[in-house]
Amino acid sequence: MVRILGYGVLLTASLLGGSRSASAQGTFPGAVAMGEALAVASVRRWEGTRAPRREAHERPPTAQRTCAGDVCIHGPAALRDQTRPLAEAGAAFIRFLDRAAFRSAPADGGRGGDDRLDIYLSPATNGVAAFMDAENAVRYHDSALTFGVADPRTCGAGLERCVLQAVAQARLLAMLPDEGDGWHEALSAWLLWRYTGRFGAHDEDMQAQFAPRFAPVERARSHSGSLLLAYVDARMGGDGRFIREVCELARQRTWDDADYRGSPDLWQALAVALDRGGERLHSILEDAAADRARMMLGSPSAVLPGVAPGAGPLAIVDGAELPAHTPPGPELGPFASSFALVDLGESAREGRRLRVWLRGEYGVEWSLTAIRLGADGEDLGRLSAPPRRGDGRSYLPVEIGPETARVLVAVTNLSHRLPDADEPFDPNGRAFRMISDFADDLADDDGDEGRP
């Protein structure tokens, strides 16, 4: 009603001689100002979170251009012999993305010579990057005109994979300009894994998944979330459609000139879509942490066939020296995990239990999981403590028996809210310590009440 009244006042003023004519102002003093104020006041305002607008980047200089299908490769004259096969590989990857129904990048107005997607062989941070030419004012949702960059020196023999990931990042940036670079990297590395069987453009990208205090999808550029996306996809059918629909659900429309509307972002869309599909994000995070911990011991993934195991840091606890108290370690970021391996040795026997206490800092939920492993690394069973909101204490009694050689313990910071990949710093990192010892019969096991 206010909007109609405001527009009505403006229309009346214009009919009387123009929106700011002397006659209008004389007939209705202040009518134009009042109408403008009412019209502005009636416009909807976004009161939620905001994501920063992206700056437009100039395209790198180029000496020659080679095109195939829907992609063009620009590079120095010294790389002329490589641009044709790179363009053909990029075109084949675009056909794969089109078959998977991932939204294509809008035409860039011929900035690279025509409307095809342009990839430049030029220096780039981490070897691969995507940048925005300008915002796309034609689409209903927020969108951008983009190009990709692949660095021949950094990529070396993996230049083709760098070009493919640059293609994916440019398309994702065009589709989701309001999301952080961490999500673009994670999604593009996951798409590359679906296409080539390898996460990311570099061989070390998979090893990054096993880094200490691994946290999926941080604001800084990393591919750390690609493995989590693979777990989610496997749980929801394994054909890629679920992740694609989550991306569509996270698209925004910012109707004013302020920063991008920042909600729902991809974390929120992922959590809601999983809930509607009968799953929980926290459950998948726990399962993914347990599977990744076993992979760090050299076992193949139980969820993702073909993904190679990786080496990672594990705290080793000698069963002969129990009870043991681990010192408070560095903080775990939201959704990050840490692992400890209890080597039982001669300590395993019938009727004995390994008792594990977690003491985490307050303010977040903690996940505590224990996996019993046989002498050959076979999985003998898994036990998880229910996360406790507002209380960093958890307890697990693990029945070991003589067949159990080791117990793998995974601790995950489940935070108290979803992360935001656009934030420069998440204040929900927390430290923890772990206590472990043995109980030989039920009378000895006083549970969580027996520890301060």
Side-chain angles (χ1 to χ4, degrees), residues 297 314-318 339-343:
L297 293 175
L314 288 169
I316 306 298
V317 179
D318 189 344
F339 309 99
L341 183 66
V342 182
D343 193 348

Side-chain angles (χ1 to χ4, degrees), residues 129-172:
F131 299 103
M132 184 181 77
D133 282 312
E135 293 183 358
N136 179 22
V138 177
R139 297 275 179 96
Y140 177 83
H141 289 101
D142 294 334
S143 179
L145 312 181
T146 62
F147 63 92
V149 178
D151 189 342
R153 291 188 177 182
T154 303
C155 296
L159 182 57
E160 180 178 308
R161 280 184 287 139
C162 283
V163 167
L164 299 186
Q165 187 159 0
V167 167
Q169 285 187 209
R171 288 181 59 145
L172 289 163

Side-chain angles (χ1 to χ4, degrees), residues 2 37 111 118 222 255-256 258 350 401 450:
V2 172
R111 286 173 169 81
D118 299 294
S222 72
W255 55 79
D256 53 26
E350 197 69 39

Side-chain angles (χ1 to χ4, degrees), residues 46 48-51 178 252 254 260-265 268 420 422:
W46 171 246
T49 60
R50 294 277 187 174
D178 54 302
Q252 301 294 338
T254 304
Y260 292 120
R261 172 175 165 169
S263 179
D265 62 9
Q268 294 168 323
D420 189 338
D422 296 312

Side-chain angles (χ1 to χ4, degrees), residues 254-410:
T254 304
W255 55 79
D256 53 26
D257 293 329
D259 286 342
Y260 292 120
R261 172 175 165 169
S263 179
D265 62 9
L266 272 165
W267 275 121
Q268 294 168 323
L270 180 61
V272 169
L274 285 170
D275 183 68
R276 295 294 186 270
E279 293 283 355
R280 292 181 66 249
L281 177 58
H282 282 185
S283 297
I284 292 178
L285 287 168
E286 289 181 330
D287 294 345
D291 191 61
R292 189 160 50 87
R294 294 184 71 258
M295 292 172 67
M296 292 166 72
L297 293 175
S299 300
S301 171
V303 181
L304 304 174
V307 175
L314 288 169
I316 306 298
V317 179
D318 189 344
E321 298 180 359
L322 296 185
H325 296 240
T326 61
E331 289 185 348
L332 283 181
F335 297 170
S337 301
S338 185
F339 309 99
L341 183 66
V342 182
D343 193 348
L344 299 175
E346 301 292 331
S347 304
R349 60 175 180 262
E350 197 69 39
R352 173 164 266 197
R353 286 174 301 284
L354 174 70
R355 303 187 297 179
V356 181
W357 290 266
L358 170 67
R359 294 296 181 260
E361 292 182 333
Y362 288 94
V364 301
E365 285 189 26
W366 290 94
S367 165
L368 176 64
T369 301
I371 307 168
R372 295 190 301 117
L373 301 174
D376 296 328
E378 66 273 24
D379 194 332
L380 301 178
R382 188 178 120 191
L383 181 67
S384 296
R388 296 168 64 172
R389 183 178 296 275
D391 186 348
R393 300 177 301 168
S394 289
Y395 168 70
L396 279 178
V398 184
E399 299 284 347
I400 48 180
E403 74 282 1
T404 306
R406 296 177 294 179
V407 175
L408 185 57
V409 180

